Amino acid sequence: QVQLVESGGGLVQAGGSLRLSCAASGGTFSGYAMGWFRQAPGKEREFVAAISRRTYYADSVKGRFTISRDNAKNTLYLQMNSLKPEDTAVYYCAAGQPSSYYTRLSLYDYWGQGTQVTVSS
């Protein structure tokens, strides 16, 4: 069993920053592609960023968000800068087999419980 636990969410003013963390256990962290997704109320879950051999970002967050991982600590991070109200959502981390389609939800086998990010205007 692979467990993923997100943390670091909260309430922040527009233009501010947050750093999300995802602690992994129960698997070989370095062998997984890792991703961040988010879901706003009434909306479908959408891709935010992923990291495997390279990093990948949704156009909506490119230049503002940075995904990284510390394999020694089995932890995934998402540094979010210049936050906008439209970034408000529940953020989920996910783990899956390395793939060419990192933006697709179906390629991720394990998911965290999510952490709420709220950006006020």
Side-chain angles (χ1 to χ4, degrees), residues 62-108:
K62 194 173 299 181
R64 300 187 298 120
F65 292 10
T66 302
I67 188 171
S68 62
R69 65 195 296 169
D70 187 337
N71 289 338
K73 296 181 178 179
N74 289 349
T75 303
L76 176 74
Y77 303 98
L78 184 68
Q79 178 66 47
M80 305 185 295
N81 299 326
S82 301
L83 284 162
K84 305 174 181 179
E86 50 262 46
D87 294 319
T88 295
V90 176
Y91 283 70
Y92 300 87
C93 67
Q97 296 295 324
S99 171
S100 297
Y101 301 96
Y102 299 108
T103 64
R104 299 182 179 181
L105 280 70
S106 62
L107 296 182
Y108 293 87

Side-chain angles (χ1 to χ4, degrees), residues 5-102:
V5 181
E6 302 95 335
S7 62
L11 176 64
V12 65
Q13 296 181 28
S17 298
L18 283 174
R19 189 191 193 195
L20 305 183
S21 298
C22 174
S25 63
T28 304
F29 180 77
S30 62
Y32 290 102
M34 302 294 297
W36 287 100
F37 292 77
R38 66 188 183 187
Q39 187 168 22
K43 300 293 184 67
E44 295 183 350
R45 192 169 299 186
E46 66 176 4
F47 170 77
V48 175
I51 183 168
S52 183
R53 179 177 176 270
R54 300 176 179 177
T55 57
Y56 308 85
Y57 297 94
D59 289 341
S60 59
V61 307
K62 194 173 299 181
R64 300 187 298 120
F65 292 10
T66 302
I67 188 171
S68 62
R69 65 195 296 169
D70 187 337
N71 289 338
K73 296 181 178 179
N74 289 349
T75 303
L76 176 74
Y77 303 98
L78 184 68
Q79 178 66 47
M80 305 185 295
N81 299 326
S82 301
L83 284 162
K84 305 174 181 179
E86 50 262 46
D87 294 319
T88 295
V90 176
Y91 283 70
Y92 300 87
C93 67
Q97 296 295 324
S99 171
S100 297
Y101 301 96
Y102 299 108

